[in-house]
Amino acid sequence: MTEVDDRTAACHELLLRLAGRLPDRQLWRLRDWLAGGALDALARALPLTLLRERVAITARESLLLNAALLDAGADAGRLHAVPWVDQIDEVDYTFTSESPERVNMGDSEAVVLGAVLHGRSELVDVRGSWRRHRSGVAPATRIVLVTASTDCARLTGELQRVLRALGTYEPGVEVMPEGIDLPPYHRAALAASEPLLPGVIVHQG
C-alpha cells in the first residue's frame, strides 16, 4: 500500500467507527470526500466537526485520526483537543430486518443495488437493516451493510451516490473491511439484518 492508501484506510475505519455518533448529514459527506481522495478537506473539517458535535473518541480512534489526517494538514492542536472515552458500549439506535410499511422504495433500491454490485470480486457479503432512534421521533432509515476485501472507501462513495440518485439524501452505507473488529453499532445492525440482494450472486473468490 502507498502512504495515501494507508491514510485512506485509516480514515475509512475511523468514519466507520463514527457511524451512529456523527449525524448522517455530516457522515455521508465526509465519506464522499474520502472516496474522492480529498484528504486535505477531511483534515480541515473532521476535527472541527468532532469538536462541534462533542463526539469523544477512543484511543484506537485517536490513533486512526492522527494516522489519517495529521500529515494531510490537520491542525495538531485541534486533533489533541478532541476528547477521549475509554470505550463505546451503547448505541442510540435499535435495528430490525423488517422494512417499515410506509417505505415503498425498498424494492427499487434493492434492484438497482443488485445491478451495481452483481459479481463484484471485492464483495464478501451484502446485507440490509432498518435503523430507528431510541427516542422514536425520527423515521426508520435503511442501512446497507457490505463486507468487502478491498476498496472500501471507494465502494462507500459509489453506493452513497447510487442511493442519493434514488432519493435517499443522507444514505446509510457501511462498508466493512473483511476481518475488522466491529464497533457496537455495526454488530447490532448485522444482528438484525438479512441478505439485501437474495437473488444476486456475491463473488467470494
Side-chain angles (χ1 to χ4, degrees):
M1 294 181 85
T2 68
E3 186 177 352
V4 172
D5 290 334
D6 288 340
R7 292 181 193 169
T8 299
C11 196
H12 177 77
E13 182 180 340
L14 175 61
L15 294 176
L16 193 74
R17 294 181 180 280
L18 291 172
R21 293 155 60 199
L22 275 182
D24 292 344
R25 68 181 183 278
Q26 296 171 341
L27 190 59
W28 85 261
R29 191 173 298 279
L30 293 168
R31 289 170 167 174
D32 189 61
W33 289 348
L34 181 62
L39 278 170
D40 54 342
L42 278 160
R44 293 190 300 270
L46 183 52
L48 284 172
T49 301
L50 293 171
L51 290 168
R52 184 174 59 248
E53 298 293 335
R54 300 179 180 179
V55 175
I57 59 176
T58 65
R60 168 65 179 170
E61 292 163 353
S62 179
L63 288 173
L64 292 169
L65 184 66
N66 282 275
L69 301 183
L70 188 57
D71 289 340
D75 183 277
R78 288 173 179 164
L79 291 178
H80 295 150
V82 178
W84 280 29
V85 66
D86 288 339
Q87 60 185 11
I88 307 297
D89 291 320
E90 299 294 330
V91 294
D92 293 330
Y93 298 95
T94 60
F95 297 89
T96 179
S97 61
E98 297 181 3
S99 171
E101 290 184 0
R102 61 170 188 79
V103 176
N104 57 17
M105 276 292 290
D107 289 344
S108 61
E109 284 183 349
V111 168
V112 175
L113 288 172
V116 170
L117 294 175
H118 183 79
R120 295 285 189 98
S121 62
E122 71 270 28
L123 298 185
V124 177
D125 194 19
V126 182
R127 304 184 70 83
S129 185
W130 291 90
R131 186 194 73 189
R132 285 189 181 276
H133 197 276
R134 291 187 184 277
S135 66
V137 298
T141 300
R142 165 174 265 168
I143 306 298
V144 178
L145 301 157
V146 178
T147 304
S149 60
T150 187
D151 288 339
C152 293
R154 178 197 55 76
L155 183 57
T156 300
E158 181 182 357
L159 296 182
Q160 285 186 157
R161 289 188 289 273
V162 168
L163 290 176
R164 280 178 57 81
L166 293 172
T168 301
Y169 298 112
E170 296 176 0
V173 177
E174 304 297 324
V175 180
M176 300 161 284
E178 188 176 15
I180 191 174
D181 180 20
L182 291 173
Y185 178 94
H186 299 83
R187 292 199 301 269
L190 283 169
S193 68
E194 61 182 10
L196 184 61
L197 314 173
V200 174
I201 297 174
V202 174
H203 180 85
Q204 298 190 40

